[in-house]
Amino acid sequence: MNQLPLGSQKDILIEPRKALTEDSLKDILRKSGLKITKQRLAILKVLNSGPRYHKTAQDILDEVKKINPNLGFATVYRFLKKLIQFQFISKISMEAGSACYELKSNESHYHIACINCSKIVEFKNKLIESTLQKIVLEKKYKLQNQIVEIYVTCDQCSQLSS
Amino acid sequence: MNQLPLGSQKDILIEPRKALTEDSLKDILRKSGLKITKQRLAILKVLNSGPRYHKTAQDILDEVKKINPNLGFATVYRFLKKLIQFQFISKISMEAGSACYELKSNESHYHIACINCSKIVEFKNKLIESTLQKIVLEKKYKLQNQIVEIYVTCDQCSQLSS
DNA sequence: TTGCATGCAAACGGTTTGCAAAACC
DNA sequence: GGTTTTGCAAACCGTTTGCATGCAA
């Protein structure tokens, strides 16, 4: 097995995110009645920075500690929870290991994850997106999150094991 | 919040599974070179029984203990892991709480889960199924598992909070 | 009779929580 | 000044593992 250490997955982006300004990060907080603190801005900045946009709590903590070494897991997790509550980020529960978090973009996108090396590739698909919306609408549910995960063995890992 | 205790989610089936015979349960084991034991047959029987087909390790243990009170978590988890390895069951990682497991059926189906009460409703969609297959094929990946989860607030929970 | 499977308890790893001090508005 | 938020450490909970015993083949 060619398993990467958990929480250090590499992924390939279909396209880079547009970087949000500091002001729009602050807006996210204000809109929800959350206080603006250095810690929260730092966490948002990390979530909003590439090249990898799916980050585990550990990833976030590691990056944030470079600026503020005192920041701890409790703060990260508590804030992530609020961000989920207010729908600013999505949580991606991996089959194994820690969950990943990412800022919501306007366009839905989905994930292909290799069960061996944990590499994540994103894809978009309007057909799937509208189909899922229709299904939820029919049932009179209120959509919170669409998760489409395809678990595969990627080409590289297939070659290694054969 | 109207949160059910974890591991006790209710779900609505689109249609009942066809019950597998004891012999076909044994076949599952034989095919994979796994030894046939009372414990494993009991666990398979539970996985193959309704009315709810998505079960947590705890659910399985509770049911299995009615027959064999000595059976423990270790046995359940170790066996579930093998069943996943040999692709006889799927693991559904919930956003919160324990994972659910279910025997794979021939037809892919997907889940709508309420983030508040954890109720799961299944749905099928040929369009999504074939689209996902096509996407994986294009990338020359080897499909292991399709997971489509829609997280919603269900009608009942929406009413309660309004 | 040999190696795989089990049961127990202890360890593990990711996440959450209680509490006192600090920061925000 | 009153309320939120933070940092620390301890608790938590689902899952995994080590080891001695039991059982299927």
Side-chain angles (χ1 to χ4, degrees):
Chain A
M1 284 296 196
N2 174 37
Q3 202 101 33
L4 287 172
L6 288 174
S8 71
Q9 304 95 323
K10 298 266 161 44
D11 58 358
I12 295 160
L13 277 183
I14 287 183
E15 60 191 281
R17 262 68 162 175
K18 52 190 171 307
L20 299 173
T21 62
E22 172 126 359
D23 273 347
S24 54
L25 294 181
K26 284 187 183 171
D27 270 351
I28 289 183
L29 295 172
R30 265 190 287 262
K31 263 187 219 158
S32 324
L34 296 171
K35 292 198 169 156
I36 296 169
T37 65
K38 302 181 216 64
Q39 291 91 335
R40 288 175 170 178
L41 284 176
I43 293 170
L44 282 175
K45 211 171 280 180
V46 167
L47 279 168
N48 187 43
S49 71
R52 196 154 57 76
Y53 292 91
H54 314 105
K55 312 199 185 210
T56 63
Q58 181 73 65
D59 291 337
I60 295 167
L61 190 62
D62 289 348
E63 282 195 61
V64 156
K65 278 202 162 177
K66 290 178 195 162
I67 305 161
N68 179 348
N70 290 328
L71 212 153
F73 268 119
T75 303
V76 171
Y77 277 113
R78 274 189 286 233
F79 186 42
L80 287 175
K81 205 167 204 179
K82 300 234 156 155
L83 287 173
I84 292 170
Q85 225 172 82
F86 289 109
Q87 307 237 41
F88 292 118
I89 63 172
S90 314
K91 179 178 176 181
I92 310 168
S93 310
M94 307 297 292
E95 290 272 288
S98 344
C100 289
Y101 303 85
E102 66 175 345
L103 280 182
K104 283 202 179 181
S105 55
N106 295 334
E107 295 191 289
S108 297
H109 66 268
Y110 310 113
H111 300 105
I112 304 179
C114 174
I115 57 170
N116 187 46
C117 70
S118 294
K119 190 172 65 183
I120 300 176
V121 178
E122 299 184 347
F123 68 97
K124 291 182 183 175
N125 192 288
K126 288 288 164 201
L127 193 59
I128 292 177
E129 191 176 340
S130 60
T131 307
L132 291 179
Q133 272 161 1
K134 212 172 63 188
I135 289 168
V136 171
L137 210 64
E138 271 168 15
K139 296 198 183 291
K140 302 203 173 57
Y141 290 166
K142 197 174 145 207
L143 186 60
Q144 301 288 352
N145 209 1
Q146 293 184 5
I147 304 217
V148 176
E149 311 275 346
I150 313 189
Y151 291 96
V152 298
T153 314
C154 72
D155 39 4
Q156 285 164 30
C157 289
S158 297
Q159 281 169 25
L160 287 174
S161 64
S162 62
Chain B
M1 284 294 196
N2 174 37
Q3 202 100 33
L4 286 172
L6 288 172
S8 70
Q9 304 93 322
K10 297 265 160 49
D11 57 359
I12 296 159
L13 278 182
I14 286 181
E15 58 191 282
R17 265 67 164 173
K18 51 193 170 304
L20 299 173
T21 62
E22 172 125 357
D23 274 346
S24 54
L25 294 181
K26 285 186 181 170
D27 270 350
I28 289 184
L29 295 173
R30 265 190 286 262
K31 264 188 219 160
S32 325
L34 295 171
K35 291 196 170 158
I36 296 170
T37 65
K38 302 182 215 65
Q39 291 90 335
R40 287 177 169 176
L41 284 176
I43 293 170
L44 282 175
K45 211 171 281 181
V46 167
L47 279 168
N48 187 42
S49 71
R52 195 155 58 76
Y53 291 91
H54 313 102
K55 314 202 184 206
T56 63
Q58 181 72 66
D59 290 338
I60 295 167
L61 189 62
D62 289 348
E63 282 195 62
V64 157
K65 278 202 160 178
K66 289 177 196 162
I67 304 160
N68 179 349
N70 290 328
L71 213 152
F73 269 118
T75 303
V76 172
Y77 278 114
R78 274 189 286 234
F79 186 43
L80 288 175
K81 206 167 204 179
K82 302 238 154 155
L83 288 173
I84 291 171
Q85 226 171 81
F86 290 108
Q87 309 236 41
F88 291 118
I89 62 171
S90 315
K91 179 177 175 180
I92 310 167
S93 311
M94 306 299 291
E95 291 272 287
S98 343
C100 288
Y101 303 86
E102 65 174 347
L103 279 183
K104 282 202 179 181
S105 55
N106 296 334
E107 297 191 289
S108 298
H109 66 268
Y110 310 113
H111 300 105
I112 304 178
C114 175
I115 57 171
N116 187 46
C117 70
S118 295
K119 188 172 64 183
I120 299 176
V121 177
E122 297 184 348
F123 68 98
K124 292 182 181 174
N125 191 289
K126 288 288 164 203
L127 194 57
I128 292 177
E129 191 175 340
S130 61
T131 307
L132 291 180
Q133 272 162 1
K134 211 172 64 189
I135 289 168
V136 171
L137 211 63
E138 270 168 17
K139 296 199 184 289
K140 302 203 172 56
Y141 291 166
K142 196 174 146 209
L143 186 61
Q144 301 287 352
N145 209 2
Q146 293 183 7
I147 305 216
V148 177
E149 312 275 346
I150 314 188
Y151 292 96
V152 297
T153 314
C154 73
D155 39 5
Q156 284 164 29
C157 290
S158 298
Q159 281 170 22
L160 288 174
S161 62
S162 62

